[in-house]
Amino acid sequence: MTDHTNPTDTELVARARAGDNDAFGLLVERHEANVYGLCIKMLRNPEDAEDCLQEVFVKAYKALPSFREEARFSTWIYRIATNACLMRIRKKKLDTVSLDQPLELGEAEIPRDVADWTTDPASMVMNEELGGVLTKHINALPANNRIVFVLRDVHGLSTEETGDILGLSVPAVKSRLHRARLFLRERLAHYYASGGAVA
Amino acid sequence: MHDHKECKECMQFLALLSDYQDGELDLALVGKFEVHMGDCERCQAVVKTLRQTIVYYRTTRCTAVPRDVHSGLITALRACMDPED
Ligand SMILES: [Zn+2]
């Protein structure tokens, strides 16, 4: 059944493919926050993210004729976005040396800080300082692990969809996610252990 | 309290922690690890702090695009929709 007040992505894609630019505009409105959020987390700065956001939707618009009807638009747009982000990261590596040295993922394989900070109410408040700490640590993840963590845990996509977007097998997604999670858990534990969250 | 590195059961558990977190572990293994966690404060703490780490990151998801970024995007799209404009 078609609900004209709330068309599905599939209906909007069909209309956009037939030349209805307003339908494409609605798809943009639905998906721009996901794409922009992904770009910010991957590229680490708002200017690059904005640039990449435009690139992604312009590419999608131009590629509409090649969109397979049976695919999900959200998966497709995520795929265009991840490719665009990874391409930019690869290019940037040539001219920028990361100031915050990438940390060895291996360091988190065996958890060291194992105090349970979740029982302390003061540590359970999300504030600007904690937000900054979360950003700093996710930025320290290698791009290959970061992208999996962002899709799975920040955006809440399934393992299968993440694999589909990245062209990775389910075990490959799981192993990258596992390492990213342990790394971030360890970093956050270290932050609390060294007196973080004390107002 | 025992040392993670020395404990085979802890190490086995940690390797499967992510699957456990996602509810994708075999029920038999889940049972085994829950028995282990009953005696192992370290593994308990790792599970809880991992879960909270994910909860925190989930809250950092972007839910709206800044207004000027949205306008910039619309302008870029218009330019490619009507190239002669
Ligand atoms: Zn244990």
Side-chain angles (χ1 to χ4, degrees):
Chain A
M1 219 188 323
T2 306
D3 177 356
H4 287 286
T5 56
N6 191 21
T8 63
D9 279 2
T10 310
E11 288 160 353
L12 289 174
V13 170
R15 279 164 49 189
R17 279 159 67 102
D20 179 349
N21 286 341
D22 291 341
F24 192 75
L26 286 173
L27 286 166
V28 169
E29 273 177 29
R30 273 184 200 177
H31 297 278
E32 65 180 345
N34 282 342
V35 172
Y36 184 68
L38 182 83
C39 294
I40 285 270
K41 288 237 171 3
M42 292 310 294
L43 302 173
R44 309 170 187 182
N45 86 69
E47 291 77 25
D48 285 346
E50 178 171 3
D51 224 43
C52 195
L53 173 73
Q54 294 182 7
E55 180 192 326
V56 168
F57 279 102
V58 165
K59 261 194 188 148
Y61 181 77
K62 290 183 175 160
L64 270 180
S66 67
F67 179 80
R68 290 175 301 113
E69 304 263 354
E70 69 275 16
R72 281 173 64 186
F73 182 79
S74 60
T75 305
W76 189 64
I77 200 78
Y78 268 125
R79 189 178 301 132
I80 298 175
T82 55
N83 287 340
C85 287
L86 293 174
M87 190 74 79
R88 276 167 191 259
I89 290 167
R90 246 169 251 140
K91 272 191 196 155
K92 274 220 154 174
K93 282 242 166 92
L94 296 172
D95 53 350
T96 56
V97 179
S98 177
L99 288 175
D100 48 335
Q101 215 45 0
L103 294 146
E104 277 295 305
L105 273 182
E107 75 177 64
E109 303 260 291
I110 300 159
R112 285 180 305 188
D113 276 313
V114 291
D116 182 4
W117 45 263
T118 66
T119 54
D120 173 10
S123 70
M124 299 297 278
V125 181
M126 178 54 91
N127 55 27
E128 212 173 305
E129 181 189 324
L130 179 56
V133 167
L134 295 175
T135 301
K136 180 176 143 203
H137 294 145
I138 197 173
N139 283 349
L141 278 172
N144 281 341
N145 297 85
R146 190 159 79 244
I147 189 93
V148 170
F149 181 79
V150 170
L151 291 172
R152 279 285 287 110
D153 283 347
V154 180
H155 288 235
L157 302 187
S158 69
T159 305
E160 287 71 20
E161 191 174 12
T162 303
D164 196 13
I165 289 164
L166 296 171
L168 291 174
S169 67
V170 164
V173 170
K174 284 187 172 187
S175 102
R176 287 184 194 192
L177 179 66
H178 179 70
R179 302 187 85 194
R181 282 173 166 176
L182 285 184
F183 175 84
L184 294 172
R185 192 215 68 85
E186 189 73 27
R187 296 275 105 197
L188 202 54
H190 182 73
Y191 161 72
Y192 284 118
S194 56
V198 178
Chain B
M1 221 191 297
H2 58 273
D3 186 342
H4 258 129
K5 270 186 258 187
E6 303 298 318
C7 177
K8 233 172 106 186
E9 233 178 35
C10 286
M11 291 309 290
Q12 209 185 0
F13 180 53
L14 291 169
L16 298 166
L17 182 61
S18 213
D19 281 344
Y20 176 76
Q21 163 70 35
D22 291 333
E24 287 175 5
L25 259 198
D26 229 60
L27 278 184
L29 276 177
V30 171
K32 199 176 148 199
F33 285 132
E34 281 172 358
V35 170
H36 170 79
M37 267 199 294
D39 288 329
C40 180
E41 276 176 39
R42 294 172 66 103
C43 281
Q44 260 177 53
V46 172
V47 166
K48 285 170 73 182
T49 53
L50 175 67
R51 188 171 299 144
Q52 190 58 33
T53 300
I54 296 170
V55 167
Y56 278 157
Y57 274 102
R58 183 66 56 90
T59 69
T60 69
R61 180 176 181 172
C62 166
T63 52
V65 172
R67 196 178 291 257
D68 57 319
V69 173
H70 174 76
S71 316
L73 172 59
I74 297 304
T75 307
L77 278 171
R78 287 224 178 96
C80 95
M81 285 168 173
D82 314 294
E84 68 273 19
D85 261 11

